Amino acid sequence: MTVSLEQLRRCHVAVDLGAARTRVFVKGAGLVVDEPSVAAVNTRTGALIAVGALAEKMTGRTPDYIRVVRPVSGGTVVDIEMAQRMLRHLLGEKLRRQLRRKPRLRAAACTPHDSDPLAQRAAVETLVGLGARRVELVDTLIAAAVGCGLPVEQPTASMIIVCGAATTQIAVLSLGAIVTAERIPVGGNAIDYAVIQHLRHQHELMLPSQSVRPLQLALRGNGLTPQGPKSTEIHGRDVATGLARSVRVDTAAVRDAIHTPLTSVLDGIGKVLRDCPPDLVADLAERGIMMVGGSALLPGLDEMLHEATGMPVQIAERPDICAVLGLGAMLEGKVQPLVLNSLAEAEAG
């Protein structure tokens, strides 16, 4: 782990700043914020108009002087000031007052695996701007593994895939540490983009940004498998005329379009397994892969990974909030480190 469990127990608040959603866990109160990482700003006055779900609904529907921004990209804060303002509004005045009463407010934050020092500093500065005196950084992979109940501290292999909006992180964990890991710049957004491009090229239809997810949900049930629905109706705007138009889309073709960005995820899994010691790979053949993250709910993705790897694949009970729940469990002291008596102590005894 990047920090000790003892240090994390002293923290009062845990924050997971994701590209898609921001989640805040307060010690003793549980999960208090789970909103989209979006803010709407009036460019004439600089005033914040809306944050979270309301700001997300405004995407693509605003006049020129209102700009909808996403201060977090790929798990990294790209606009510190806007991220601070967004967090302040999401927390609300009452909760901020409670946190300000803490004499030395400590916070914990998730950072993507292998994130560079600039990205880590941006996360720290965002929380320092909210009044935190000290910020502990925890690898998202470790936090998510704890949150979905994997025996992270035990000397057995656990494989986890964190399917985010902008990135997919794959790792094998053992004895509370990452044995081998890979971060791939493909996530839910790349899958959305693949669907949009397919409809644009094949049907000359421009899709509203809000309707990509419903299209993916139309594939649910059997999802990416051939047993899914044969076709589904999609509403959008004609590329040539600009008029509203509806088309019936062949779902098999949409499944093929979705498969394309997912091949790099399969390559990443192969690389992690090749870099992993043989004893741990033998454990994984029995224990399988745990999937977490919002994009883990993409219909049929687990079946596709099972077919490609031959290993059992499970989706966590609440895959979207595993990382922040894992951080919360560490804050509340629910995670016990594996105690190893040193040989020197054994001999002395």
Side-chain angles (χ1 to χ4, degrees):
M1 292 195 186
T2 45
V3 289
S4 71
L5 287 169
E6 194 54 48
Q7 286 172 301
L8 284 170
R9 284 195 194 107
R10 294 182 197 145
C11 293
H12 306 99
V13 61
V15 180
D16 178 14
L17 277 167
R21 295 183 81 85
T22 293
R23 299 174 178 96
V24 180
F25 184 102
V26 174
K27 201 179 202 174
L31 188 66
V32 293
V33 173
D34 183 3
E35 292 275 344
S37 306
V38 190
V41 188
N42 185 327
T43 54
R44 291 174 183 169
T45 62
L48 207 59
I49 295 169
V51 292
L54 181 58
E56 190 174 50
K57 283 180 185 170
M58 292 182 180
T59 307
R61 295 184 166 95
T62 58
D64 290 345
Y65 65 92
I66 295 175
R67 192 162 58 97
V68 177
V69 294
R70 291 183 175 269
V72 186
S73 174
T76 302
V77 178
V78 290
D79 186 339
I80 295 171
E81 188 195 345
M82 188 54 67
Q84 287 173 351
R85 291 174 71 186
M86 180 184 77
L87 265 175
R88 278 194 206 105
H89 280 77
L90 288 175
L91 284 169
E93 187 58 42
K94 186 182 174 185
L95 193 55
R96 288 210 313 277
R97 255 201 315 270
Q98 285 176 10
L99 292 174
R100 275 202 296 267
R101 288 197 197 112
K102 310 280 184 192
R104 286 186 63 79
L105 181 65
R106 285 175 174 242
C110 288
T111 54
H113 177 69
D114 228 8
S115 55
D116 58 73
L118 278 175
Q120 293 177 9
R121 187 177 168 187
V124 169
E125 284 190 17
T126 301
L127 296 183
V128 166
L130 289 175
R133 297 292 183 89
R134 185 183 171 102
V135 180
E136 310 289 1
L137 298 179
V138 179
D139 197 305
T140 304
L141 289 162
I142 298 273
V146 170
C148 64
L150 289 176
V152 180
E153 299 292 336
Q154 299 302 314
T156 55
S158 301
M159 188 169 192
I160 188 165
I161 300 178
V162 180
C163 310
T167 58
T168 299
Q169 301 172 68
I170 305 158
V172 173
L173 312 170
S174 181
L175 284 171
I178 294 168
V179 178
T180 175
E182 193 72 20
R183 184 155 65 122
I184 300 147
V186 169
N189 293 347
I191 293 164
D192 291 351
Y193 183 72
V195 172
I196 290 167
Q197 289 300 101
H198 167 76
L199 291 170
R200 189 181 181 116
H201 292 144
Q202 300 299 319
H203 299 277
E204 295 187 346
L205 193 76
M206 284 183 75
L207 213 58
S209 58
Q210 306 288 329
S211 67
V212 179
R213 290 288 168 185
L215 173 59
Q216 290 180 8
L217 291 174
L219 301 175
R220 75 174 178 271
N222 293 315
L224 298 174
T225 59
Q227 293 80 34
K230 287 277 184 280
S231 65
T232 184
E233 192 170 16
I234 302 296
H235 307 285
R237 191 183 83 187
D238 191 285
V239 172
T241 63
L243 300 174
R245 184 161 68 92
S246 298
V247 293
R248 287 209 74 80
V249 178
D250 180 22
T251 48
V254 176
R255 282 195 290 271
D256 289 342
I258 289 173
H259 271 283
T260 308
L262 292 178
T263 50
S264 53
V265 175
L266 296 176
D267 292 344
I269 293 171
K271 186 175 187 305
V272 166
L273 291 172
R274 283 195 299 275
D275 294 346
C276 195
D279 291 351
L280 292 180
V281 175
D283 283 355
L284 293 174
E286 187 183 323
R287 299 179 59 82
I289 301 169
M290 179 65 81
M291 289 175 64
V292 302
S295 300
L297 295 167
L298 180 70
L301 179 55
D302 52 338
E303 288 179 40
M304 182 187 156
L305 294 181
H306 172 64
E307 284 172 20
T309 60
M311 292 194 289
V313 178
Q314 285 178 284
I315 299 176
E317 194 176 333
R318 290 291 308 277
D320 48 340
I321 58 170
C322 277
V324 75
L325 289 183
L327 270 183
M330 293 181 209
L331 260 62
E332 295 183 335
K334 292 177 182 172
V335 181
Q336 297 301 321
L338 185 69
V339 179
L340 297 170
N341 293 324
S342 67
L343 290 173
E345 285 175 20
E347 285 169 8

